[in-house]
Amino acid sequence: MATFILGNFIGFAVLAMLMKPFFMLYNHAIYVEATLKDYVAVMWHGLPMDFSVSGYLSIVPALLALVAPFGGGDVLRRIAKTYYAVVALLLAMIFIVDAVLYSYWGFRLDTTPLFYFYSSPSDAMASVGAGFIVLGVVVWLLLSLGIYSIAVRCLLPLPTTTTKVRERIQTVVMTLVLMGLLIIPIRGGVTTSTMNLGNVYYSQNQRLNHAAVNPCFSLLRSWIDGATKLSDQYRLMDATEADSLFSQLVKTGDRSNKGEETQLLRVHRPNIVIVVLESFSAQIMQELGGLPRVAVNMDRLAREGVLFTRFYANSFRTDRGLVSILAGYPAQPTMSIMKYTEKVETLPSLPRELSNEGYDLQYYYGGDADFTNMRSFLTTAGFEKIVADVDFPVNLRLSKWGVPDGYVFDCAAKDIEQYRGKPFLKVIQTSSSHEPYDVPYHRLSNKVLNAFAYADDCLGKFVERLRRSKQWDNTLIVLVPDHLGCYPEDISNYDFARYHIPLIMVGGAVKESHRIDIIGSQIDIAATLLSQLGMPHHQFTFSKDMMDSRAPHFGYFTVPNALGMITSTDSVMYDLDTKTTVQKRGKHTDYTLKLGKAYLQKLYDDLSKR
């Protein structure tokens, strides 16, 4: 009996431990500098978390061992085989999906992929080819079969049935004792702290720390966090202190004191076109110190219009970016508010505010508008007219993500040219600069950069077409990425450059070209635009007018499970699992970090009330 329970516990732990070098080898480009010593250290330091997961997985075998002395051996063996089959399939899938996604996302597996897959399976799988999917399924089944075969051969023998009362009592008592002892590895020891991701972090190299994490535990932790009351999450300081610090971050100046120098537009009620550029960043713009000859039209438009040079994305995925841009609402570390329809309905909305002022609203996207609950968010935000993949002819749905950007821009340009009436807001979301980068364009040899060049080329042609239209003199075009994507390919989630993106305002409605070095982020677009239009923005609690010299200026961003804060003098990146600062610049980073913590805590206070 003891052998059976301990065999299961050790077997599951050994399996998890052996998966770590396979994870690192699969992501060899990321771990190319790892030595044999690093591989051993990853397995050793990750062992407590492997024991924790093994403890969970050993509960069912322990229950079977508890019943076995009373008979029903054949039935129990069938139950055990079924359990091992289910566990083998789940473990193999978790190990494979985690290894594949890490190279794209830079963090271990959580519930995010489930949200994406549930909302639109085709879009969730759009980044990979059919051959890769088939290979993945084959590997999954083979790995599952291997795990199952080993489990049945090595772990299955159950304690035999006995008719002696004393032996039964001894078996039950011993089994209960061992089940009780499983609590120790499950909770991570006997101290007051329980197992968490930070327990296995040991290195200054965050990627080695990530390799030590058990993806099953990471997924389970994410699931539990999702079920935890929002008001109980991220309690980082006393409520009174958080209120005091937060008040400094959301204060605004007196609009009556604004001077002419802060006015960027020469038109009172311009038409507005917001282009959300998939995965663009400062790294591919020469005007922002990035590569030349990639986003050549973005560089040209930056010189022609207003370029915000110190502008930051709020997170790492499109669903987070859209909420930040259109609702002025900060991204969260381990959840996407777009998933929670009832909360989305309570958010402020830039499109809705413009609609109340008589603007006509329309949204253009070449992909599936239902992906990540996007249609629900857009409809709630005020868009009644949403153009998506199903609105284009089938022969134009040429890419994995739907319709290439060129056709989407053509559709929007045609509608603008033919439009007559009240001012409009049109939002165009691009998708071609996303994996797998299959674009009808061939200028650069690097496939990733070529996809950006294609999207940039489509944007340039769109702007030039508008320039020739009657709408140009009364039109403001806002160019902003949703987040930085896969270029540079090896950039870390803890690198400040990971969030540096451009914000460009161009068009006939812009007063003059200008470079602005004020720090801001996607959540500030709403307040800044409304202020430029002479409209109030007090309902956007987290959004600041970047042209208001009396308002605080900073960039805030999150990824699972970390937060970043950038001010004019300091930058700090903080790991919320290990409760450690992983990157910092400046002399007052401790205070900047306190501001970031207060901001996050007040964000979750706000979320819990919605």
Side-chain angles (χ1 to χ4, degrees):
M1 179 274 306
T3 303
F4 176 69
I5 297 176
L6 290 175
N8 277 270
F9 177 80
I10 295 172
F12 286 128
V14 169
L15 173 65
M17 183 178 67
L18 293 178
M19 285 297 106
K20 288 177 170 55
F22 283 103
F23 167 84
M24 296 173 71
L25 289 171
Y26 179 84
N27 291 285
H28 62 277
I30 296 174
Y31 295 100
V32 66
E33 296 182 358
T35 64
L36 177 60
K37 182 179 178 180
D38 290 324
Y39 277 80
V40 173
V42 162
M43 289 189 287
W44 173 255
H45 288 281
L47 204 54
M49 188 172 290
D50 295 336
F51 284 158
S52 180
V53 172
S54 182
Y56 283 110
L57 294 175
S58 299
I59 291 175
V60 170
L63 290 173
L64 294 177
L66 186 65
V67 178
F70 299 93
D74 291 339
V75 173
L76 294 179
R77 275 187 286 274
R78 284 196 293 270
I79 293 174
K81 286 184 177 181
T82 302
Y83 175 72
Y84 289 141
V86 172
V87 167
L89 289 168
L90 289 176
L91 289 180
M93 178 172 289
I94 289 171
F95 290 142
I96 292 170
V97 172
D98 169 68
V100 171
L101 289 182
Y102 184 78
S103 61
Y104 294 102
W105 290 359
F107 58 87
R108 301 305 293 265
L109 188 65
D110 64 7
T111 57
T112 303
L114 300 178
F115 170 45
Y116 293 150
F117 188 84
Y118 177 79
S119 61
S120 177
S122 59
D123 274 6
M125 303 299 290
S127 297
V128 295
F132 188 85
I133 294 174
V134 171
L135 177 61
V137 172
V138 171
V139 173
W140 170 48
L141 293 176
L142 290 175
L143 181 57
S144 300
L145 181 60
I147 295 173
Y148 174 77
S149 300
I150 293 173
V152 169
R153 291 181 181 180
C154 301
L155 308 179
L156 183 57
L158 284 162
T160 57
T161 302
T162 178
T163 57
K164 297 180 180 180
V165 175
R166 183 177 179 179
E167 292 181 356
R168 286 180 177 178
I169 294 175
Q170 288 177 338
T171 301
V172 169
V173 170
M174 187 176 296
T175 302
L176 290 174
V177 170
L178 289 174
M179 291 178 67
L181 291 175
L182 286 177
I183 296 174
I184 296 176
I186 285 174
R187 73 182 304 277
V190 296
T191 60
T192 54
S193 63
T194 58
M195 178 57 64
N196 59 78
L197 296 183
N199 283 13
V200 302
Y201 280 34
Y202 72 97
S203 172
Q204 293 300 309
N205 184 336
Q206 292 297 322
R207 287 171 174 172
L208 292 177
N209 293 333
H210 291 171
V213 169
N214 186 301
C216 300
F217 186 90
S218 176
L219 179 61
L220 179 63
R221 192 286 310 267
S222 177
W223 205 304
I224 293 173
D225 284 351
T228 304
K229 287 175 58 178
L230 294 173
S231 59
D232 293 335
Q233 296 185 39
Y234 300 109
R235 302 298 91 190
L236 303 172
M237 64 184 66
D238 178 79
T240 302
E241 183 181 15
D243 290 342
S244 176
L245 292 170
F246 183 68
S247 66
Q248 301 176 38
L249 296 172
V250 296
K251 65 182 180 181
T252 57
D254 184 353
R255 294 186 69 254
S256 64
N257 291 334
K258 291 184 67 175
E260 273 300 308
E261 70 277 2
T262 66
Q263 189 62 32
L264 304 175
L265 306 179
R266 62 179 186 82
V267 178
H268 178 60
R269 283 290 184 270
N271 301 316
I272 301 174
V273 179
I274 299 177
V275 182
V276 181
L277 295 156
E278 172 66 50
S279 300
F280 271 60
S281 76
Q283 306 289 324
I284 58 171
M285 284 187 61
Q286 188 173 16
E287 286 293 312
L288 290 174
L291 296 177
R293 297 186 63 251
V294 179
V296 292
N297 290 289
M298 286 282 286
D299 281 328
R300 174 176 56 82
L301 295 172
R303 295 188 295 269
E304 178 184 320
V306 178
L307 171 64
F308 289 81
T309 62
R310 302 184 69 185
F311 193 77
Y312 294 88
N314 282 106
S315 195
F316 73 110
R317 296 294 291 181
T318 302
D319 51 316
R320 272 84 156 175
L322 287 181
V323 174
S324 296
I325 293 167
L326 298 179
Y329 204 75
Q332 306 88 51
T334 57
M335 62 174 281
S336 170
I337 195 174
M338 199 179 279
K339 177 181 177 180
Y340 302 90
T341 304
E342 71 284 358
K343 293 186 181 295
V344 165
E345 293 173 354
T346 69
L347 293 181
S349 166
L350 171 62
R352 194 186 310 121
E353 293 300 316
L354 294 176
S355 178
N356 292 339
E357 285 291 311
Y359 274 72
D360 181 74
L361 310 182
Q362 193 161 15
Y363 200 96
Y364 299 83
Y365 177 50
D368 180 1
D370 292 306
F371 188 47
T372 66
N373 284 4
M374 192 168 73
R375 188 186 299 276
S376 173
F377 168 70
L378 295 176
T379 302
T380 302
F383 290 99
E384 295 182 359
K385 307 168 189 174
I386 301 174
V387 176
D389 54 354
V390 294
D391 299 299
F392 291 87
V394 174
N395 65 315
L396 295 185
R397 303 175 203 171
L398 303 174
S399 74
K400 289 291 187 66
W401 284 97
V403 181
D405 291 344
Y407 300 109
V408 179
F409 276 119
D410 284 345
C411 177
K414 182 178 179 181
D415 287 349
I416 292 172
E417 290 168 342
Q418 297 176 350
Y419 183 81
R420 300 292 183 272
K422 57 187 180 180
F424 60 74
L425 166 68
K426 295 186 183 294
V427 178
I428 304 169
Q429 179 185 342
T430 72
S431 61
S432 293
S433 47
H434 192 292
E435 306 98 345
Y437 310 111
D438 51 344
V439 296
Y441 185 79
H442 307 282
R443 181 167 71 81
L444 300 177
S445 58
N446 183 294
K447 186 177 182 180
V448 177
L449 294 178
N450 184 69
F452 285 117
Y454 167 69
D456 175 79
D457 183 69
C458 297
L459 170 66
K461 291 176 180 176
F462 169 75
V463 173
E464 291 311 302
R465 186 168 172 179
L466 290 195
R467 196 188 302 271
R468 297 189 297 269
S469 74
K470 296 180 180 180
Q471 306 282 12
W472 176 256
D473 288 342
N474 195 45
T475 297
L476 166 67
I477 303 172
V478 179
L479 308 176
V480 61
D482 52 356
H483 57 85
L484 182 148
C486 289
Y487 192 88
E489 296 177 17
D490 60 347
I491 193 165
S492 166
N493 281 341
Y494 299 103
D495 191 331
F496 297 122
R498 175 75 168 78
Y499 308 93
H500 187 199
I501 61 173
L503 172 64
I504 300 172
M505 296 183 182
V506 71
V510 173
K511 189 165 61 173
E512 59 185 356
S513 61
H514 198 25
R515 287 177 69 96
I516 297 176
D517 297 328
I518 294 170
I519 292 179
S521 68
Q522 289 168 326
I523 55 175
D524 299 325
I525 291 175
T528 302
L529 280 182
L530 291 174
S531 181
Q532 289 294 312
L533 300 179
M535 296 170 57
H537 54 82
H538 59 271
Q539 62 274 45
F540 293 84
T541 303
F542 296 90
S543 187
K544 311 173 300 298
D545 177 8
M546 289 184 288
M547 302 309 296
D548 184 346
S549 61
R550 302 177 68 179
H553 300 297
F554 60 89
Y556 162 87
F557 39 86
T558 62
V559 288
N561 190 15
L563 71 85
M565 194 82 167
I566 292 182
T567 69
S568 59
T569 59
D570 299 278
S571 304
V572 62
M573 198 75 188
Y574 183 75
D575 191 305
L576 291 155
D577 287 321
T578 62
K579 299 179 175 58
T580 57
T581 299
V582 292
Q583 292 280 2
K584 63 180 179 179
R585 299 173 187 165
K587 298 180 179 179
H588 308 289
T589 53
D590 288 345
Y591 181 70
T592 301
L593 177 57
K594 288 185 69 174
L595 291 174
K597 289 180 176 180
Y599 198 76
L600 179 60
Q601 182 166 318
K602 293 300 295 182
L603 170 61
Y604 273 75
D605 286 345
D606 186 80
L607 279 167
S608 66
K609 297 173 184 176
R610 293 187 179 276

